[in-house]
Coordinates of all heavy atoms in Angstrom, one line a residue:
M21 N -4.8 -26.0 -85.7 CA -6.2 -25.7 -85.8 C -6.7 -24.8 -84.8 O -6.3 -24.9 -83.6 CB -7.0 -27.0 -85.8 CG -8.5 -26.8 -86.0 SD -9.1 -26.2 -87.6 CE -8.6 -27.4 -88.7
A22 N -7.5 -23.8 -85.2 CA -8.0 -22.9 -84.2 C -8.8 -23.7 -83.1 O -9.6 -24.6 -83.5 CB -8.8 -21.8 -84.9
S23 N -8.6 -23.4 -81.9 CA -9.2 -24.2 -80.9 C -10.6 -23.5 -80.4 O -11.4 -24.2 -79.8 CB -8.3 -24.3 -79.6 OG -8.0 -23.0 -79.1
L24 N -10.8 -22.2 -80.7 CA -12.1 -21.6 -80.4 C -12.6 -20.9 -81.6 O -11.9 -20.2 -82.3 CB -11.9 -20.6 -79.3 CG -11.4 -21.2 -77.9 CD1 -11.1 -20.0 -76.8 CD2 -12.5 -22.1 -77.3
I25 N -13.9 -21.0 -81.8 CA -14.6 -20.3 -82.9 C -15.7 -19.6 -82.3 O -16.4 -20.1 -81.4 CB -15.2 -21.4 -83.9 CG1 -14.1 -22.3 -84.4 CG2 -16.0 -20.7 -85.0 CD1 -13.1 -21.6 -85.3
T26 N -15.9 -18.3 -82.7 CA -16.9 -17.5 -82.2 C -18.1 -17.5 -83.2 O -18.1 -16.9 -84.2 CB -16.4 -16.0 -82.0 OG1 -15.3 -16.0 -81.1 CG2 -17.6 -15.2 -81.4
C27 N -19.1 -18.3 -82.8 CA -20.3 -18.5 -83.6 C -21.2 -17.1 -83.4 O -21.3 -16.7 -82.3 CB -21.1 -19.6 -83.2 SG -22.7 -19.7 -83.9
P28 N -21.6 -16.5 -84.5 CA -22.5 -15.3 -84.3 C -23.7 -15.6 -83.6 O -24.4 -14.6 -83.1 CB -22.7 -14.9 -85.8 CG -22.4 -16.0 -86.7 CD -21.5 -16.9 -85.9
H29 N -24.2 -16.8 -83.4 CA -25.4 -17.1 -82.7 C -25.2 -17.6 -81.3 O -26.0 -17.3 -80.4 CB -26.3 -18.1 -83.4 CG -26.5 -17.8 -84.9 ND1 -27.4 -16.7 -85.2 CD2 -26.0 -18.2 -86.0 CE1 -27.3 -16.6 -86.5 NE2 -26.5 -17.4 -87.1
C30 N -24.1 -18.4 -81.1 CA -23.9 -19.1 -79.8 C -22.7 -18.5 -78.9 O -22.5 -18.8 -77.8 CB -23.6 -20.5 -80.1 SG -24.8 -21.3 -81.1
G31 N -21.9 -17.7 -79.6 CA -20.7 -17.1 -78.8 C -19.4 -18.0 -79.1 O -19.5 -18.8 -80.0
T32 N -18.5 -17.8 -78.2 CA -17.3 -18.5 -78.4 C -17.4 -20.0 -78.0 O -17.8 -20.2 -76.9 CB -16.1 -17.9 -77.6 OG1 -16.1 -16.5 -78.1 CG2 -14.8 -18.5 -77.8
R33 N -17.0 -20.9 -78.8 CA -17.3 -22.4 -78.6 C -16.0 -23.1 -79.1 O -15.3 -22.7 -79.9 CB -18.5 -22.8 -79.4 CG -19.7 -22.0 -79.3 CD -20.2 -22.0 -77.9 NE -20.7 -23.3 -77.5 CZ -21.4 -23.6 -76.5 NH1 -21.6 -22.5 -75.6 NH2 -21.8 -24.8 -76.2
P34 N -15.8 -24.3 -78.4 CA -14.6 -25.1 -78.9 C -14.9 -25.7 -80.3 O -16.0 -25.9 -80.7 CB -14.6 -26.2 -77.8 CG -16.0 -26.3 -77.3 CD -16.6 -24.9 -77.3
K35 N -13.8 -25.8 -81.0 CA -13.8 -26.2 -82.4 C -14.4 -27.6 -82.6 O -15.0 -28.0 -83.7 CB -12.5 -26.2 -83.2 CG -11.5 -27.2 -82.6 CD -10.2 -27.3 -83.3 CE -9.2 -28.3 -82.8 NZ -9.7 -29.6 -82.5
E36 N -14.4 -28.4 -81.6 CA -15.0 -29.8 -81.6 C -16.5 -29.8 -81.9 O -17.0 -30.8 -82.3 CB -14.7 -30.6 -80.4 CG -13.2 -30.9 -80.2 CD -12.3 -29.8 -79.7 OE1 -12.9 -28.7 -79.3 OE2 -11.1 -30.0 -79.9
E37 N -17.1 -28.6 -81.7 CA -18.5 -28.5 -81.9 C -18.9 -28.3 -83.4 O -20.0 -28.4 -83.8 CB -19.2 -27.4 -81.1 CG -19.2 -27.6 -79.6 CD -20.0 -26.5 -78.9 OE1 -20.5 -25.6 -79.6 OE2 -20.0 -26.6 -77.6
F38 N -17.9 -28.1 -84.2 CA -18.1 -27.7 -85.6 C -17.5 -28.8 -86.5 O -16.6 -29.5 -86.2 CB -17.3 -26.4 -85.9 CG -17.8 -25.2 -85.1 CD1 -17.3 -25.0 -83.9 CD2 -18.7 -24.3 -85.6 CE1 -17.6 -23.9 -83.1 CE2 -19.1 -23.2 -84.9 CZ -18.7 -23.0 -83.6
S39 N -18.0 -28.8 -87.7 CA -17.5 -29.7 -88.8 C -17.2 -28.8 -90.0 O -18.1 -28.0 -90.4 CB -18.4 -30.9 -89.1 OG -19.6 -30.5 -89.6
I40 N -16.1 -29.0 -90.6 CA -15.7 -28.2 -91.9 C -16.4 -28.9 -93.1 O -16.3 -30.1 -93.2 CB -14.2 -28.2 -92.0 CG1 -13.5 -27.5 -90.8 CG2 -13.8 -27.4 -93.3 CD1 -12.0 -27.5 -90.8
R41 N -17.1 -28.1 -93.8 CA -17.9 -28.6 -94.9 C -17.3 -28.3 -96.2 O -18.0 -28.5 -97.3 CB -19.3 -28.2 -94.7 CG -20.0 -28.5 -93.4 CD -19.9 -29.9 -93.1 NE -20.7 -30.7 -94.0 CZ -20.9 -32.0 -93.9 NH1 -20.2 -32.8 -93.1 NH2 -21.7 -32.6 -94.8
G42 N -16.2 -27.6 -96.3 CA -15.6 -27.4 -97.6 C -15.5 -25.9 -97.9 O -15.9 -25.0 -97.2
A43 N -14.8 -25.6 -99.0 CA -14.5 -24.3 -99.4 C -15.8 -23.5 -99.8 O -16.8 -24.0 -100.3 CB -13.6 -24.3 -100.7
A44 N -15.8 -22.2 -99.3 CA -17.0 -21.4 -99.6 C -16.9 -20.7 -100.9 O -17.9 -20.1 -101.3 CB -17.2 -20.4 -98.4
A45 N -15.7 -20.6 -101.6 CA -15.6 -19.9 -102.7 C -16.4 -20.4 -103.9 O -17.0 -19.5 -104.7 CB -14.1 -19.7 -103.1
P46 N -16.5 -21.7 -104.2 CA -17.1 -22.2 -105.4 C -18.6 -21.8 -105.4 O -19.3 -21.9 -104.4 CB -16.9 -23.6 -105.4 CG -15.8 -24.0 -104.6 CD -15.9 -22.8 -103.5
R47 N -19.1 -21.3 -106.6 CA -20.5 -21.0 -106.7 C -21.2 -22.0 -107.4 O -20.7 -22.5 -108.5 CB -20.7 -19.5 -107.3 CG -20.1 -18.4 -106.5 CD -20.8 -18.2 -105.2 NE -20.5 -17.1 -104.4 CZ -20.0 -17.3 -103.1 NH1 -19.9 -18.5 -102.7 NH2 -19.5 -16.3 -102.5
R48 N -22.4 -22.4 -107.0 CA -23.1 -23.4 -107.6 C -23.6 -23.0 -109.0 O -24.1 -22.0 -109.3 CB -24.4 -23.8 -106.8 CG -25.2 -24.8 -107.3 CD -26.5 -25.0 -106.4 NE -27.3 -26.0 -106.8 CZ -27.2 -27.4 -106.5 NH1 -26.3 -27.7 -105.7 NH2 -28.0 -28.3 -107.0
P49 N -23.3 -23.9 -110.1 CA -23.6 -23.5 -111.4 C -25.2 -23.6 -111.6 O -25.9 -24.1 -110.7 CB -23.0 -24.7 -112.2 CG -22.1 -25.3 -111.4 CD -22.5 -25.1 -110.0
S50 N -25.7 -23.1 -112.6 CA -27.1 -23.2 -112.9 C -27.4 -24.5 -113.5 O -26.6 -25.2 -114.0 CB -27.5 -22.1 -113.8 OG -26.9 -22.2 -115.1
A51 N -28.7 -24.9 -113.5 CA -29.1 -26.3 -113.8 C -28.8 -26.5 -115.3 O -28.5 -27.7 -115.6 CB -30.6 -26.4 -113.6
G52 N -28.8 -25.5 -116.1 CA -28.5 -25.8 -117.5 C -27.0 -25.7 -117.9 O -26.7 -25.9 -119.1
D53 N -26.1 -25.6 -117.0 CA -24.7 -25.6 -117.3 C -24.2 -26.9 -117.8 O -24.7 -27.9 -117.5 CB -23.9 -25.1 -116.1 CG -23.8 -23.6 -116.0 OD1 -24.0 -22.8 -117.0 OD2 -23.6 -23.0 -114.8
R54 N -23.1 -26.9 -118.6 CA -22.5 -28.1 -119.2 C -22.0 -29.0 -118.0 O -21.7 -28.6 -116.9 CB -21.3 -27.7 -120.1 CG -21.8 -26.9 -121.3 CD -20.6 -26.3 -122.1 NE -19.8 -25.6 -121.2 CZ -18.5 -25.7 -121.3 NH1 -17.9 -26.5 -122.1 NH2 -17.7 -24.9 -120.4
D55 N -21.9 -30.3 -118.4 CA -21.3 -31.3 -117.4 C -19.9 -30.9 -117.0 O -19.7 -31.2 -115.8 CB -21.3 -32.6 -118.2 CG -22.6 -33.2 -118.4 OD1 -23.6 -32.7 -117.8 OD2 -22.7 -34.2 -119.2
E56 N -19.1 -30.3 -117.8 CA -17.7 -30.0 -117.3 C -17.7 -28.9 -116.2 O -16.9 -29.0 -115.3 CB -16.9 -29.4 -118.6 CG -16.6 -30.4 -119.6 CD -17.8 -30.6 -120.6 OE1 -18.8 -29.9 -120.5 OE2 -17.7 -31.5 -121.4
V57 N -18.7 -28.1 -116.3 CA -18.8 -27.0 -115.2 C -19.3 -27.6 -113.9 O -18.8 -27.4 -112.9 CB -19.9 -25.9 -115.7 CG1 -20.1 -24.9 -114.6 CG2 -19.3 -25.2 -117.0
W58 N -20.3 -28.5 -114.0 CA -20.7 -29.3 -112.9 C -19.6 -30.1 -112.2 O -19.4 -30.2 -111.0 CB -21.9 -30.1 -113.1 CG -23.2 -29.3 -113.1 CD1 -23.9 -28.7 -114.1 CD2 -23.9 -28.9 -111.8 NE1 -25.0 -28.0 -113.6 CE2 -25.0 -28.1 -112.2 CE3 -23.6 -29.2 -110.5 CZ2 -25.9 -27.5 -111.3 CZ3 -24.5 -28.6 -109.6 CH2 -25.6 -27.8 -110.0
Y59 N -18.8 -30.8 -113.1 CA -17.7 -31.6 -112.6 C -16.8 -30.8 -111.8 O -16.3 -31.2 -110.8 CB -17.0 -32.3 -113.8 CG -15.9 -33.1 -113.5 CD1 -16.0 -34.5 -113.0 CD2 -14.6 -32.6 -113.5 CE1 -14.9 -35.2 -112.7 CE2 -13.4 -33.2 -113.1 CZ -13.6 -34.5 -112.7 OH -12.5 -35.3 -112.3
A60 N -16.4 -29.7 -112.4 CA -15.4 -28.8 -111.7 C -16.0 -28.2 -110.4 O -15.3 -28.2 -109.4 CB -15.1 -27.6 -112.6
Y61 N -17.2 -27.9 -110.3 CA -17.9 -27.5 -109.1 C -17.9 -28.6 -108.0 O -17.7 -28.3 -106.9 CB -19.3 -27.1 -109.4 CG -20.2 -26.8 -108.2 CD1 -19.9 -25.6 -107.4 CD2 -21.2 -27.6 -107.8 CE1 -20.6 -25.4 -106.2 CE2 -21.9 -27.3 -106.6 CZ -21.6 -26.2 -105.9 OH -22.4 -25.9 -104.8
V62 N -18.2 -29.9 -108.4 CA -18.4 -30.9 -107.5 C -17.0 -31.5 -107.0 O -16.8 -31.8 -105.9 CB -19.3 -32.0 -108.1 CG1 -19.4 -33.3 -107.1 CG2 -20.7 -31.5 -108.3
Y63 N -16.1 -31.6 -108.0 CA -14.9 -32.5 -107.7 C -13.6 -31.7 -107.7 O -12.7 -32.2 -107.0 CB -14.7 -33.6 -108.7 CG -15.9 -34.6 -108.6 CD1 -16.9 -34.6 -109.6 CD2 -16.0 -35.5 -107.6 CE1 -17.9 -35.5 -109.6 CE2 -17.1 -36.4 -107.5 CZ -17.9 -36.4 -108.5 OH -19.0 -37.3 -108.5
V64 N -13.5 -30.6 -108.3 CA -12.1 -30.0 -108.4 C -12.1 -28.9 -107.4 O -12.9 -27.9 -107.3 CB -12.0 -29.3 -109.8 CG1 -10.7 -28.6 -109.9 CG2 -12.1 -30.4 -110.9
R65 N -11.0 -29.0 -106.5 CA -10.8 -28.0 -105.5 C -9.3 -27.6 -105.4 O -8.4 -28.4 -105.7 CB -11.2 -28.6 -104.1 CG -12.6 -28.8 -104.0 CD -13.4 -27.6 -103.8 NE -14.8 -27.7 -103.6 CZ -15.7 -27.8 -104.6 NH1 -15.3 -27.6 -105.8 NH2 -17.0 -27.9 -104.3
D66 N -9.1 -26.3 -105.1 CA -7.7 -25.9 -104.8 C -7.4 -26.3 -103.4 O -8.2 -26.7 -102.6 CB -7.7 -24.4 -104.9 CG -8.0 -23.8 -106.3 OD1 -7.6 -24.5 -107.2 OD2 -8.4 -22.7 -106.4
N67 N -6.1 -26.2 -103.1 CA -5.6 -26.6 -101.7 C -4.8 -25.3 -101.4 O -3.6 -25.4 -101.3 CB -4.7 -27.8 -101.8 CG -4.4 -28.3 -100.4 OD1 -5.0 -27.9 -99.4 ND2 -3.4 -29.1 -100.3
P68 N -5.5 -24.2 -101.0 CA -4.9 -23.0 -100.8 C -4.0 -23.0 -99.6 O -4.3 -23.6 -98.5 CB -6.0 -22.0 -100.7 CG -7.1 -22.8 -100.2 CD -7.0 -24.2 -100.8
K69 N -2.9 -22.2 -99.7 CA -2.0 -22.0 -98.5 C -2.2 -20.5 -98.2 O -1.9 -19.6 -99.0 CB -0.6 -22.3 -98.9 CG 0.4 -22.0 -97.9 CD 1.9 -22.4 -98.4 CE 2.9 -22.0 -97.4 NZ 4.3 -22.3 -98.0
G70 N -2.8 -20.2 -97.0 CA -3.0 -18.9 -96.7 C -4.5 -18.6 -96.3 O -5.2 -19.6 -95.9
L71 N -4.9 -17.4 -96.6 CA -6.3 -17.0 -96.2 C -7.3 -17.7 -97.2 O -7.1 -17.7 -98.3 CB -6.4 -15.4 -96.5 CG -7.7 -14.8 -95.9 CD1 -7.6 -15.0 -94.3 CD2 -7.7 -13.3 -96.2
T72 N -8.3 -18.3 -96.5 CA -9.3 -18.9 -97.2 C -10.7 -18.8 -96.5 O -10.7 -18.5 -95.3 CB -9.0 -20.4 -97.4 OG1 -10.0 -21.1 -98.2 CG2 -8.9 -21.2 -96.1
Q73 N -11.8 -19.1 -97.2 CA -13.1 -19.1 -96.6 C -13.7 -20.5 -96.7 O -13.7 -21.1 -97.8 CB -14.0 -18.0 -97.4 CG -13.7 -16.6 -97.1 CD -14.7 -15.7 -97.7 OE1 -15.2 -15.9 -98.7 NE2 -14.9 -14.6 -97.0
E74 N -14.2 -21.0 -95.6 CA -14.7 -22.3 -95.6 C -16.1 -22.4 -95.0 O -16.4 -21.5 -94.1 CB -13.8 -23.2 -94.8 CG -12.5 -23.4 -95.3 CD -11.5 -24.0 -94.3 OE1 -11.6 -23.7 -93.1 OE2 -10.7 -24.8 -94.7
Y75 N -16.9 -23.3 -95.4 CA -18.2 -23.5 -94.7 C -17.9 -24.4 -93.5 O -17.3 -25.4 -93.6 CB -19.2 -24.3 -95.6 CG -19.8 -23.3 -96.7 CD1 -19.6 -23.7 -98.0 CD2 -20.6 -22.3 -96.3 CE1 -20.2 -22.9 -99.0 CE2 -21.1 -21.5 -97.3 CZ -20.9 -21.7 -98.7 OH -21.5 -21.0 -99.6
W76 N -18.4 -23.9 -92.4 CA -18.4 -24.7 -91.1 C -19.8 -24.9 -90.6 O -20.6 -24.0 -90.6 CB -17.5 -24.0 -90.0 CG -16.1 -24.0 -90.3 CD1 -15.4 -23.8 -91.4 CD2 -15.0 -24.3 -89.3 NE1 -14.0 -23.9 -91.2 CE2 -13.8 -24.2 -89.9 CE3 -15.0 -24.6 -87.9 CZ2 -12.6 -24.4 -89.2 CZ3 -13.9 -24.7 -87.3 CH2 -12.6 -24.7 -87.9
H77 N -20.1 -26.1 -90.2 CA -21.5 -26.4 -89.7 C -21.4 -26.5 -88.1 O -20.5 -27.3 -87.6 CB -21.9 -27.7 -90.2 CG -23.3 -28.1 -89.9 ND1 -23.7 -29.3 -89.3 CD2 -24.4 -27.4 -89.9 CE1 -24.9 -29.4 -88.9 NE2 -25.4 -28.2 -89.3
H78 N -22.1 -25.7 -87.5 CA -22.1 -25.8 -85.9 C -23.1 -26.9 -85.5 O -24.2 -26.7 -85.1 CB -22.6 -24.4 -85.4 CG -22.2 -24.3 -83.9 ND1 -22.5 -23.2 -83.2 CD2 -21.6 -25.1 -83.1 CE1 -22.0 -23.4 -81.9 NE2 -21.5 -24.6 -81.8
A79 N -22.5 -28.1 -85.7 CA -23.4 -29.3 -85.5 C -23.8 -29.5 -84.0 O -24.9 -30.1 -83.8 CB -22.5 -30.5 -85.9
A80 N -23.0 -29.1 -83.0 CA -23.3 -29.3 -81.7 C -23.8 -28.0 -81.1 O -23.8 -27.9 -79.8 CB -22.0 -29.8 -80.9
G81 N -24.3 -27.1 -81.9 CA -24.8 -25.8 -81.3 C -26.1 -25.4 -82.1 O -27.1 -26.2 -82.0
C82 N -26.0 -24.3 -82.7 CA -27.3 -23.8 -83.4 C -27.6 -24.5 -84.7 O -28.7 -24.3 -85.2 CB -27.0 -22.4 -83.6 SG -25.6 -21.9 -84.8
R83 N -26.6 -25.4 -85.2 CA -26.9 -26.2 -86.4 C -26.9 -25.3 -87.7 O -27.4 -25.6 -88.7 CB -28.0 -27.1 -86.4 CG -27.9 -28.1 -85.2 CD -28.9 -29.2 -85.2 NE -28.8 -30.0 -86.4 CZ -27.8 -30.9 -86.5 NH1 -26.9 -31.2 -85.5 NH2 -27.8 -31.7 -87.6
R84 N -26.3 -24.1 -87.5 CA -26.3 -23.2 -88.7 C -25.0 -23.4 -89.4 O -24.0 -23.8 -88.9 CB -26.4 -21.7 -88.2 CG -27.5 -21.3 -87.4 CD -28.7 -21.1 -88.2 NE -28.5 -19.9 -89.2 CZ -29.4 -19.4 -89.8 NH1 -30.6 -19.8 -89.8 NH2 -29.1 -18.4 -90.6
F85 N -25.0 -23.0 -90.7 CA -23.9 -23.1 -91.6 C -23.2 -21.7 -91.4 O -23.9 -20.6 -91.6 CB -24.1 -23.4 -93.0 CG -24.2 -24.9 -93.3 CD1 -25.4 -25.5 -93.1 CD2 -23.2 -25.6 -93.6 CE1 -25.6 -26.9 -93.3 CE2 -23.2 -27.0 -93.8 CZ -24.5 -27.6 -93.6
L86 N -21.9 -21.6 -91.3 CA -21.2 -20.4 -91.1 C -20.0 -20.3 -92.1 O -19.7 -21.4 -92.7 CB -20.5 -20.4 -89.7 CG -21.4 -20.7 -88.5 CD1 -20.6 -20.8 -87.2 CD2 -22.5 -19.6 -88.4
V87 N -19.6 -19.2 -92.5 CA -18.5 -19.0 -93.4 C -17.3 -18.5 -92.4 O -17.5 -17.4 -91.8 CB -18.7 -18.0 -94.4 CG1 -17.4 -17.7 -95.2 CG2 -19.8 -18.5 -95.4
V88 N -16.3 -19.3 -92.3 CA -15.1 -19.0 -91.5 C -14.0 -18.6 -92.3 O -13.6 -19.3 -93.2 CB -14.8 -20.2 -90.6 CG1 -13.5 -19.9 -89.8 CG2 -15.9 -20.6 -89.7
E89 N -13.5 -17.5 -92.1 CA -12.3 -17.0 -92.8 C -11.1 -17.2 -91.9 O -11.0 -16.8 -90.9 CB -12.4 -15.4 -93.1 CG -11.3 -14.9 -94.0 CD -11.6 -13.5 -94.4 OE1 -12.4 -12.9 -93.8 OE2 -11.0 -13.1 -95.3
R90 N -10.2 -18.1 -92.5 CA -9.0 -18.4 -91.6 C -7.8 -18.6 -92.5 O -7.9 -18.8 -93.8 CB -9.3 -19.7 -90.8 CG -9.3 -21.0 -91.6 CD -9.5 -22.2 -90.7 NE -9.5 -23.4 -91.5 CZ -8.5 -24.2 -91.6 NH1 -7.4 -24.0 -91.0 NH2 -8.7 -25.3 -92.4
D91 N -6.7 -18.6 -91.8 CA -5.4 -18.9 -92.6 C -5.0 -20.4 -92.5 O -4.9 -20.9 -91.3 CB -4.3 -18.0 -91.9 CG -3.0 -18.0 -92.7 OD1 -2.5 -19.1 -93.1 OD2 -2.5 -17.0 -92.9
T92 N -5.0 -21.0 -93.6 CA -4.7 -22.5 -93.5 C -3.3 -22.9 -93.0 O -3.0 -24.0 -92.7 CB -4.9 -23.2 -94.9 OG1 -4.1 -22.6 -95.8 CG2 -6.3 -23.0 -95.3
L93 N -2.4 -21.8 -93.0 CA -1.0 -22.1 -92.6 C -0.9 -21.9 -91.1 O -0.3 -22.7 -90.5 CB -0.1 -21.0 -93.3 CG 1.4 -21.3 -93.2 CD1 1.7 -22.7 -93.8 CD2 2.2 -20.3 -94.0
T94 N -1.5 -20.9 -90.5 CA -1.4 -20.5 -89.1 C -2.6 -20.9 -88.4 O -2.5 -21.0 -87.1 CB -1.2 -19.0 -88.9 OG1 -2.3 -18.3 -89.3 CG2 0.1 -18.5 -89.6
H95 N -3.7 -21.2 -89.0 CA -4.9 -21.6 -88.4 C -5.6 -20.4 -87.7 O -6.6 -20.7 -86.9 CB -4.9 -22.9 -87.5 CG -4.2 -24.0 -88.2 ND1 -4.8 -24.7 -89.3 CD2 -3.1 -24.6 -88.0 CE1 -4.1 -25.6 -89.7 NE2 -3.0 -25.7 -88.9
E96 N -5.1 -19.2 -87.8 CA -5.7 -18.1 -87.2 C -7.1 -17.8 -87.9 O -7.2 -17.8 -89.1 CB -4.8 -16.9 -87.4 CG -5.3 -15.6 -86.6 CD -4.3 -14.4 -86.8 OE1 -3.3 -14.6 -87.3 OE2 -4.7 -13.4 -86.2
V97 N -8.1 -17.5 -87.1 CA -9.4 -17.2 -87.6 C -9.6 -15.7 -87.6 O -9.3 -15.0 -86.6 CB -10.5 -17.8 -86.7 CG1 -11.9 -17.4 -87.1 CG2 -10.4 -19.4 -86.8
F98 N -10.0 -15.2 -88.8 CA -10.2 -13.8 -88.9 C -11.6 -13.3 -88.9 O -11.9 -12.1 -88.6 CB -9.6 -13.3 -90.3 CG -8.0 -13.5 -90.3 CD1 -7.5 -14.6 -91.0 CD2 -7.2 -12.7 -89.7 CE1 -6.2 -14.8 -91.0 CE2 -5.8 -12.9 -89.7 CZ -5.3 -14.0 -90.4
G99 N -12.5 -14.2 -89.1 CA -13.9 -13.8 -89.1 C -14.9 -15.0 -89.2 O -14.5 -16.0 -89.8
V100 N -16.0 -14.8 -88.7 CA -17.1 -15.9 -88.8 C -18.3 -15.1 -89.1 O -18.8 -14.2 -88.4 CB -17.2 -16.7 -87.4 CG1 -18.3 -17.7 -87.6 CG2 -15.9 -17.3 -87.1
T101 N -19.0 -15.6 -90.2 CA -20.3 -15.0 -90.6 C -21.3 -16.0 -90.9 O -21.0 -17.1 -91.3 CB -20.0 -14.2 -92.0 OG1 -18.9 -13.3 -91.8 CG2 -21.3 -13.4 -92.3
D102 N -22.6 -15.8 -90.6 CA -23.6 -16.7 -90.8 C -23.7 -16.8 -92.3 O -23.8 -15.8 -93.1 CB -25.0 -16.1 -90.3 CG -26.1 -17.1 -90.5 OD1 -26.3 -18.0 -89.7 OD2 -26.8 -17.0 -91.5
A103 N -23.7 -18.0 -92.9 CA -23.6 -18.3 -94.4 C -24.9 -17.7 -95.0 O -24.8 -17.2 -96.1 CB -23.5 -19.8 -94.7
A104 N -26.1 -17.9 -94.4 CA -27.3 -17.4 -95.1 C -27.4 -15.9 -95.1 O -27.8 -15.3 -96.1 CB -28.6 -17.9 -94.2
A105 N -26.9 -15.2 -94.0 CA -26.8 -13.7 -94.0 C -25.9 -13.3 -95.1 O -26.2 -12.3 -95.8 CB -26.4 -13.3 -92.7
L106 N -24.7 -14.0 -95.3 CA -23.8 -13.6 -96.3 C -24.4 -13.7 -97.6 O -24.1 -12.9 -98.5 CB -22.4 -14.4 -96.1 CG -21.3 -14.0 -97.0 CD1 -20.9 -12.6 -96.7 CD2 -20.1 -15.0 -96.8
T107 N -25.1 -14.8 -97.9 CA -25.7 -15.0 -99.2 C -26.7 -14.0 -99.5 O -26.8 -13.5 -100.6 CB -26.4 -16.4 -99.2 OG1 -25.3 -17.4 -99.0 CG2 -27.0 -16.7 -100.6
R108 N -27.5 -13.6 -98.5 CA -28.5 -12.5 -98.7 C -27.9 -11.2 -99.1 O -28.3 -10.4 -99.8 CB -29.5 -12.4 -97.4 CG -30.5 -13.5 -97.4 CD -31.5 -13.1 -96.3 NE -31.0 -13.1 -95.0 CZ -30.8 -14.1 -94.2 NH1 -31.3 -15.2 -94.6 NH2 -30.4 -14.0 -93.0
K109 N -26.8 -11.0 -98.3 CA -26.0 -9.7 -98.5 C -25.4 -9.6 -100.0 O -25.5 -8.6 -100.6 CB -24.9 -9.5 -97.5 CG -24.1 -8.3 -97.7 CD -23.0 -8.3 -96.6 CE -22.0 -7.1 -96.9 NZ -20.8 -7.1 -96.1
E110 N -24.9 -10.7 -100.4 CA -24.3 -10.8 -101.8 C -25.4 -10.6 -102.8 O -25.1 -10.1 -103.9 CB -23.5 -12.1 -101.9 CG -22.2 -12.2 -101.1 CD -21.5 -13.5 -101.2 OE1 -22.0 -14.4 -101.8 OE2 -20.4 -13.6 -100.7
A111 N -26.6 -11.2 -102.6 CA -27.7 -11.1 -103.5 C -28.2 -9.7 -103.6 O -28.6 -9.3 -104.7 CB -28.7 -12.1 -103.2
A112 N -28.1 -8.9 -102.6 CA -28.6 -7.6 -102.5 C -27.7 -6.6 -103.2 O -28.0 -5.6 -103.7 CB -28.8 -7.2 -101.1
E113 N -26.4 -7.0 -103.3 CA -25.4 -6.2 -104.0 C -25.4 -6.2 -105.5 O -25.8 -7.1 -106.2 CB -24.0 -6.5 -103.5 CG -23.8 -6.2 -101.9 CD -22.6 -6.7 -101.4 OE1 -21.7 -7.3 -102.1 OE2 -22.2 -6.3 -100.3
Ligands
ZN30 ZN1 -23.8 -21.7 -83.2

């Protein structure tokens, strides 16, 4: 596991300050979607080997949700982005 995470708000911090909150790739279905779509969103997850994006919560710092891009095999971290900023950027595109 990566031992240091660079939070965009707090700087470089030990990983113990963060909690992993799950994969960032699944997109929330709309309220009217079928039960099968909601089931897949809530319960079905891949277990990727390699590059992945995850939500991390900086629980002992700024308490912001971040999107951490890391390799699940080597635990190397490639990038950390504020989740709200990333969502706003995707919505604008
Ligand atoms: Zn932080």
Side-chain angles (χ1 to χ4, degrees):
M21 180 63 65
S23 58
L24 295 173
I25 302 294
T26 302
C27 173
H29 306 287
C30 306
T32 303
R33 312 296 294 187
K35 68 171 177 52
E36 289 78 13
E37 291 188 2
F38 299 83
S39 60
I40 300 175
R41 307 304 294 179
R47 295 294 180 240
R48 184 181 179 87
S50 62
D53 277 333
R54 296 173 303 137
D55 290 346
E56 294 83 7
V57 174
W58 275 99
Y59 176 85
Y61 172 71
V62 173
Y63 296 109
V64 178
R65 291 290 180 267
D66 293 331
N67 188 17
K69 178 180 173 184
L71 194 63
T72 187
Q73 290 185 325
E74 300 166 318
Y75 286 117
W76 286 44
H77 182 230
H78 196 179
C82 59
R83 304 192 59 78
R84 302 279 301 189
F85 278 86
L86 310 171
V87 174
V88 175
E89 188 172 17
R90 71 177 182 103
D91 190 314
T92 58
L93 193 60
T94 64
H95 306 297
E96 182 179 358
V97 174
F98 297 99
V100 181
T101 308
D102 182 87
L106 186 61
T107 301
R108 282 192 297 271
K109 180 182 173 194
E110 289 176 354
E113 293 176 350

